[in-house]
Amino acid sequence: MNRPRRNRRTPAIRSMIRETTLAPADFILPLFFHEDAEDTPIAAMPGVTRWSLESLVREAGEAHALGIPAVVLFPKIDESLKTPHAVESFNNDGLVPRAIRALKAAHPTLCVITDVALDPYNSDGHDGIVRRDARGELHILNDETVEVLCSQALCHARAGADIVAPSDMMDGRVAAIRDVLDDDGFTQVSILSYTAKYASAFYGPFRGALDSEPKEGDKKTYQMDPANAREAIRETLLDDAEGSDMLMVKPAGLYLDIIARVRETTTLPIAAYQVSGEYLMLKSAAASGWLDERGIVLESLLAIKRAGADMILTYFAKQACSWIADE
Ligand code: PBG
């Protein structure tokens, strides 16, 4: 008789036949920071903090020491610096370039990834430049936005970013950013494009953390419809052809089918982003006492990896490393 249970009989056998494992090198830690000298706990993300520049460098160092290869930077920009054209997004002395320089100086082997999008800098809270037409309707301008994104990516590259990650979902931005980087001699700077980024209700806590929610309207004319999977293939083929080095699917946990389909479509490495709402769900469930935090977090990360992700952006990165080390 065929008895699959023989392969599950002992921990030794199970460890030999295990198809998927988690390691610190799988994780990318998203970090929030601001201009203030104080660190601020983020209400909707228990255990997550918005750091001062100094604490950001220390926190990134701790993560790197645990084996986490990369961090991705999310700044909270002062309201006074937000404008309709988001010019602060490419200020060479802005918060992000200063953070990149400080991180690279303190931790030369840490891979620094930056978010390329206008929402933290834009007085409208959208990822792109907004124009209101005669009827009062909002339009997110594609090609005008791409020009600003190119300046932003260049600004990050000049400051020493290893990877720029456009999260804006404008059309054609990967090719445009690649051209600008290459023309300026930054041929070594990689692009990790948010390829299949959905207009998800799970970004709520993140927007609260950065005060970056759209002032009006939603992001459905640029982020993808959660109902669509074939469209993710279309975006994958485009980003691959435009020269992206790595692709991203976001959110992660509810989009495992998308990760798996993107995996079949491209040979490029794939990142998946376990977003703020996924973090909050797991944290709340653990806080209720009904579910075991370590168990649900490691299982959620394992599932994302099993679906086909090579890298996982997760707010649990540091905790996951210590849990894995104890196994
Ligand atoms: C914005 C951006 C968002 C996230 C990462 N980059 C929010 C959005 O698109 O509205 C969300 C991350 C999270 O929820 O953890 N460019």
Side-chain angles (χ1 to χ4, degrees), residues 32 45 74 115-117 119 127 167-168 194 197 202-207 212 219 223 250 273-277 315:
F32 300 113
M45 300 178 72
F74 293 107
D115 192 65
V116 174
D119 51 319
D127 290 22
S167 69
D168 54 286
Y194 287 63
K197 177 174 178 178
F202 287 88
Y203 306 149
F206 174 98
R207 294 179 191 170
S212 63
K219 299 193 175 184
Q223 298 181 350
K250 174 186 176 181
Y273 197 148
Q274 184 179 55
V275 300
S276 56
Y315 303 99

Side-chain angles (χ1 to χ4, degrees), residues 223-277:
Q223 298 181 350
M224 285 176 51
D225 183 342
N228 294 353
R230 285 196 313 267
E231 201 177 330
I233 307 297
R234 184 178 187 206
E235 291 283 5
T236 298
L237 295 172
L238 283 170
D239 282 8
D240 192 328
E242 287 182 37
S244 193
D245 298 283
M246 307 166 178
L247 307 183
M248 195 184 316
V249 174
K250 174 186 176 181
L254 296 170
Y255 292 79
L256 298 181
D257 57 326
I258 307 299
I259 297 172
R261 290 181 69 166
V262 170
R263 177 67 293 155
E264 313 250 280
T265 308
T266 179
T267 57
L268 293 173
I270 298 171
Y273 197 148
Q274 184 179 55
V275 300
S276 56

Side-chain angles (χ1 to χ4, degrees), residues 145-161:
T145 298
V146 170
E147 277 182 36
V148 185
L149 296 173
C150 287
S151 306
Q152 186 182 17
L154 196 54
C155 164
H156 295 174
R158 285 194 185 115

Side-chain angles (χ1 to χ4, degrees), residues 85 118 127-132 138-147 149 170 221-222:
H85 281 85
L118 304 187
D127 290 22
I129 294 173
V130 174
R131 195 189 60 211
R132 189 182 293 278
L138 292 191
H139 299 274
I140 313 302
L141 305 180
N142 194 89
D143 300 4
E144 292 82 346
T145 298
V146 170
E147 277 182 36
L149 296 173
M170 296 302 122
T221 66
Y222 45 108

